[in-house]
Amino acid sequence: MKKIMIKIQYVGKNYVGWQNQKNGISVQQVLEENISKLLGEKISLIASGRTDAGVNAICQVAHFETKSNFLVKNIAKAVNSFLPFDIRVLFAEEVDNNFHARFSAKKKTYVYKFYQNDILLPLKNNFVCQVKENINLAKMKKFAKLFVGNHNFRAFCSAKTQTNNFIRKIYYIHIHNVFDEIHIEICGNGFLYNMVRMIVGALIEVGKGKLSKNEIKYMLKTGDKIKFIKTMPPYALYLKNVEY
Amino acid sequence: MKKIMIKIQYVGKNYVGWQNQKNGISVQQVLEENISKLLGEKISLIASGRTDAGVNAICQVAHFETKSNFLVKNIAKAVNSFLPFDIRVLFAEEVDNNFHARFSAKKKTYVYKFYQNDILLPLKNNFVCQVKENINLAKMKKFAKLFVGNHNFRAFCSAKTQTNNFIRKIYYIHIHNVFDEIHIEICGNGFLYNMVRMIVGALIEVGKGKLSKNEIKYMLKTGDKIKFIKTMPPYALYLKNVEY
C-alpha cells in the first residue's frame, strides 16, 4: 500500500464544490473516477479541506492510498489526459504513511479578487468580483489587522456550519492592488464554512464605511452576528496553497 | 447629427470577430442592434480596426452618427442593460465631426499573454496561451527590438491579407513577467491581418532557438516567408488601447 499526495488546480464554476454530494458533480468525484480508471482500482481522495460550490483552487492538496504499481511520476500526465479542461493534477508524489492531507495541514492561504467599477467588466466576469461602490482601501487594510490572531469566528461563518469549535487562527490578511484589481490574501490554520467569503464581505463593508472597528471587535469576541455580513460570491475566491 | 465615440470591452470567444460577417454573430452586430434599439434609429459603427475571431478587447474604440437626443452621458449604462455579459460599453461621449475611429487612430496597443508549463492550467484556460517548451526570455527581449521601426511585414501577416501596403511602424515591443505569465505588449501605428499573433509566434520561435536574427532581418527586409511562422491562438490576444 502506497500513499500518494497530489496537487490539483481547478475552476469551480461547473462543480458543486470539492466534496462529493448528491445534488451534482463534485471535483472530488471527477478526480476519484479518473484516477480509479487509470490505476484499475477504486481510490478515495482526502483533501486539505472542502472548497464550496463555485470556489476555485490554484493549488488544492489531497492524498489517496493505492496498491497499484503505476509509476508515480507518470500519474499527473496520465490522469490529465482523461480529465476535463477545468481540472488538472499539477503534481503527484509518494508520501510517508503519516502524511494526511487534512490533518497534517498547518496553514491555508486563500485569495479573494475584486475590482471597483460601475460597469460589470466582461474580461473579469466569472473570475473577479465587481464592487460598484467607492471603497476606502486604507481603512480596510487597517481593520484587516483586527482579524489576525486567535478569534471566535462564529459571526463570520455560515449559520449552517457544523462544529463546536469556532476558534481559528488567522496568520495574516494582505490587501494589495494588482493592476485594476484588489486582492485580499488570507492565511490561517483553518477556515469555517463560508468564513473567507464573510471576512472579505466584512472588509468590503468596512471600505464602504458601514462597519465599525468596535462592531468587528465585538463580533470576534462574542461570536454574535450583530450586523448582517454578506457572503461574497464564490467564483472570485481561490484556494492558493496549503502548507504542511 | 451628432457624432458619438464609444469605448468597448469584450471577450471574443463567442464572436466571429469585431466585423459583421455572414458566418456568425459579430461584436459589431450585437452593439449596432442594441444601440439602434436604444436610440430608436438604425446606427452604424466604425471601429478603430477589426479584431479577428476570438480576440478580446480591453478597450476598443468606435464611433457612430445619430440624430437622437438621448443623453450621451446615459448611453453606456442604458446600452449595457441590453447587452450580453461578454460585451460592455465602458464610456460614451460626443466628439467633433472630424473624429474618425479608424482614420484618426495614431497608435494601437495589443497584449499577448502566455505561460510556460507542461500542464494546461485550468485557471488560464481560454484566456492565456500555454507554451510547453522551455523558452529563452532574454533572447526574445533582445530580438523583439528587430521589429521596432518601419518594416515590410508581409512575412508576418496572413497570406489572405488584402492590401498593397505591407509597411507598418512598430513603436515598441515590451516583454515582461506578470506573476507566472509572460505578457508581450506591442504598440504600432496599425497592424495587418494576424500580424500581432505572427510576431508573437516568431518571438516564441526565437525563445525556442528555432529562429535566428538573420532570418528575421531577411523577412522584414524582403517580405518573403522563408520560415513557417505560427499564428498564435486568438483567445490570448487583447486589444489594450487606441490612441488618437
Side-chain angles (χ1 to χ4, degrees), chain A residues 74-223:
Chain A
N74 293 342
I75 287 179
K77 199 173 180 183
V79 178
N80 286 338
S81 69
F82 297 147
L83 288 170
F85 284 130
D86 49 10
I87 303 178
R88 279 292 177 277
V89 176
L90 302 175
F91 179 79
E93 72 173 4
E94 192 172 346
V95 285
D96 281 351
N97 198 43
N98 58 7
F99 176 86
H100 192 284
R102 185 167 163 212
F103 300 131
S104 312
K106 296 267 188 296
K107 290 183 184 180
K108 280 185 207 167
T109 306
Y110 280 91
V111 180
Y112 199 90
K113 300 183 181 181
F114 69 95
Y115 65 100
Q116 199 277 313
N117 203 313
D118 282 352
I119 299 165
L120 190 69
L121 298 177
L123 287 163
K124 310 278 187 205
N125 211 17
N126 290 320
F127 288 98
V128 189
C129 182
Q130 180 194 28
V131 173
K132 286 188 183 181
E133 299 85 349
N134 279 319
I135 50 168
N136 182 336
L137 216 59
K139 200 172 172 187
M140 288 171 68
K141 287 180 186 178
K142 208 169 134 191
F143 283 32
K145 292 183 187 132
L146 298 172
F147 293 92
V148 176
N150 283 296
H151 297 285
N152 175 353
F153 284 97
R154 200 179 63 173
F156 297 95
C157 67
S158 164
K160 294 179 205 155
T161 309
Q162 292 176 329
T163 184
N164 296 315
N165 175 16
F166 292 93
I167 307 293
R168 293 292 182 278
K169 183 175 187 170
I170 300 286
Y171 294 104
Y172 66 77
I173 301 181
H174 292 157
I175 303 176
H176 51 273
N177 293 76
V178 178
F179 300 103
D180 58 343
E181 296 175 9
I182 296 152
H183 294 187
I184 301 186
E185 186 166 312
I186 305 186
C187 176
N189 64 350
F191 293 93
L192 300 160
Y193 188 29
N194 286 353
M195 180 173 148
V196 180
R197 287 153 65 190
M198 287 186 75
I199 291 176
V200 173
L203 287 172
I204 286 172
E205 289 301 292
V206 165
K208 292 178 191 169
K210 291 180 181 169
L211 192 64
S212 74
K213 191 180 279 192
N214 284 336
E215 286 165 333
I216 295 173
K217 280 184 174 174
Y218 184 86
M219 286 192 277
L220 285 172
K221 201 173 168 187
T222 64

Side-chain angles (χ1 to χ4, degrees), chain A residues 15-33:
Chain A
Y15 301 98
V16 294
W18 167 266
Q19 188 95 346
N20 287 340
Q21 284 179 54
K22 285 174 188 165
N23 62 334
I25 297 170
S26 67
V27 177
Q28 183 185 3
Q29 178 190 338
V30 173
L31 280 162
E32 283 179 345
E33 283 173 4

Side-chain angles (χ1 to χ4, degrees), chain B residues 10-237:
Chain B
Y10 51 85
V11 176
K13 194 166 56 173
N14 297 321
Y15 301 98
V16 295
W18 166 266
Q19 188 95 345
N20 287 340
Q21 284 178 56
K22 284 173 189 165
N23 61 333
I25 296 171
S26 67
V27 177
Q28 182 186 4
Q29 178 190 339
V30 172
L31 280 162
E32 283 178 346
E33 284 173 5
N34 284 289
I35 297 172
S36 297
K37 190 165 99 179
L38 178 74
L39 303 182
E41 175 195 47
K42 192 164 165 29
I43 65 99
S44 297
L45 283 171
I46 293 172
S48 70
R50 304 174 184 196
T51 52
D52 299 344
V55 172
N56 309 294
I58 299 171
C59 188
Q60 167 70 288
V61 177
H63 78 257
F64 63 93
E65 293 183 331
T66 178
K67 287 175 190 147
S68 162
N69 286 319
F70 193 93
L71 264 182
V72 178
K73 72 181 178 73
N74 293 342
I75 286 178
K77 198 172 180 182
V79 178
N80 286 339
S81 69
F82 296 147
L83 287 171
F85 283 132
D86 50 9
I87 303 177
R88 279 293 177 275
V89 176
L90 302 174
F91 178 79
E93 71 172 6
E94 190 171 348
V95 285
D96 280 351
N97 197 43
N98 59 8
F99 176 86
H100 191 283
R102 184 166 164 214
F103 299 130
S104 312
K106 295 267 188 298
K107 289 183 184 179
K108 281 186 206 168
T109 307
Y110 280 91
V111 180
Y112 199 90
K113 301 183 181 181
F114 69 96
Y115 65 99
Q116 198 276 312
N117 202 313
D118 281 353
I119 298 166
L120 191 67
L121 298 176
L123 287 164
K124 310 278 185 203
N125 212 15
N126 290 321
F127 289 98
V128 189
C129 182
Q130 179 195 28
V131 172
K132 286 187 183 181
E133 298 86 348
N134 280 318
I135 49 166
N136 181 335
L137 216 59
K139 200 172 172 188
M140 286 171 69
K141 286 179 187 178
K142 207 168 133 190
F143 282 33
K145 292 184 187 132
L146 299 172
F147 293 93
V148 175
N150 282 296
H151 297 285
N152 175 352
F153 285 96
R154 200 179 63 174
F156 297 95
C157 67
S158 164
K160 294 179 206 154
T161 308
Q162 292 176 327
T163 183
N164 295 315
N165 176 15
F166 292 92
I167 307 294
R168 293 292 182 277
K169 183 173 188 171
I170 300 287
Y171 293 104
Y172 66 78
I173 300 182
H174 292 158
I175 303 176
H176 51 272
N177 292 77
V178 178
F179 301 101
D180 59 342
E181 296 176 9
I182 296 152
H183 293 187
I184 301 185
E185 186 167 312
I186 305 186
C187 177
N189 65 351
F191 293 93
L192 300 160
Y193 188 30
N194 286 351
M195 181 173 147
V196 180
R197 288 153 64 190
M198 289 187 75
I199 291 176
V200 173
L203 287 172
I204 286 173
E205 289 301 292
V206 165
K208 293 178 189 169
K210 291 180 181 169
L211 191 64
S212 74
K213 190 180 279 191
N214 283 336
E215 285 165 335
I216 295 173
K217 280 185 176 175
Y218 184 87
M219 286 192 279
L220 285 172
K221 200 173 167 187
T222 64
D224 294 342
K225 296 193 191 198
I226 54 164
K227 276 238 176 170
F228 170 76
I229 304 290
K230 190 183 165 188
T231 303
M232 297 297 286
Y235 58 79
L237 181 61

